[in-house]
Amino acid sequence: MSKTTAKWMRILHRYFGFLLLVTMSIYAFTGVVLIYRNTDTFKHSVYIEKKIDLQLNEQQLGQKLRIKNLLITDEKDGVLYFKQGEYHPKTGEVKYHIMDYPTWLAELTRLHKSNSEYPYSWLTTVFGIALLFFCISSLWLIPGSRKALKRSLYFILAGGVMVILLILTD
């Protein structure tokens, strides 16, 4: 490894790090938020009133409203009641509550969960490539002393062992 390669890797690592600092922070934050997506942490109640298809059964209603395991708990005067609200099969009127992220947080988590159909998928691709660059360029940031190199290699090995243990214990 030449000194000029190491110098350039340090410079690129530093300035790409500054450039992507906010993006990396958003990904870190939304990653934590998404860990708790099966709870109501970070969410608030949203009331929805709209018209949908007529005469839906329980399963169709759950799919249409995107409510998993929707369960009709009661039926009175032709109105179906479920935990989150009510559905009028004859008129298609539905009123219900859901727990959802605030708009700004929903948009940020969409960035984190994007796929190729998402308009900003190019950003997540570039970001993934940048993260790979950070991983590789960090190898040029290891101090020059033998002791520091040895310690750094132990940390890299420990990180590899952690990943292997995670995979094997899943």
Side-chain angles (χ1 to χ4, degrees), residues 12 22 31 41 49 96 100 114 124 130 147 149 159 163 165:
L12 290 172
V22 174
T41 307
E49 232 179 274
Y96 63 106
D100 201 7
S114 71
T124 54
K147 187 176 179 183
L149 175 63
V163 170
L165 287 174

Side-chain angles (χ1 to χ4, degrees), residues 45-150:
S45 180
V46 177
Y47 179 70
I48 300 170
E49 232 179 274
K50 63 183 179 180
K51 291 215 180 237
I52 59 172
D53 299 335
L54 306 176
Q55 304 297 332
L56 297 177
N57 65 32
E58 188 176 62
Q59 183 182 3
Q60 293 168 325
L61 182 61
Q63 288 174 343
K64 189 75 172 177
L65 301 181
R66 301 180 112 200
I67 297 176
K68 290 181 182 176
N69 304 317
L70 184 132
L71 179 66
I72 303 296
T73 56
D74 196 14
E75 181 179 354
K76 265 189 209 162
D77 301 324
V79 178
L80 302 177
Y81 294 92
F82 51 99
K83 180 181 173 186
Q84 297 86 344
E86 61 187 61
Y87 169 60
H88 301 257
K90 290 180 181 168
T91 64
E93 184 181 5
V94 64
K95 302 173 189 176
Y96 63 106
H97 286 272
I98 60 166
M99 296 300 287
D100 201 7
Y101 297 118
T103 306
W104 66 272
L105 186 53
E107 193 57 39
L108 291 178
T109 57
R110 241 179 256 113
L111 262 177
H112 198 106
K113 301 186 304 185
S114 71
N115 61 29
S116 62
E117 295 173 6
Y118 186 67
Y120 298 110
S121 62
W122 63 269
L123 177 64
T124 54
T125 302
V126 168
F127 185 66
I129 292 167
L131 285 179
L132 185 59
F133 166 77
F134 284 124
C135 294
I136 294 168
S137 66
S138 69
L139 298 174
W140 277 270
L141 303 180
I142 298 172
S145 76
R146 251 195 166 0
K147 187 176 179 183
L149 175 63
K150 194 174 181 180

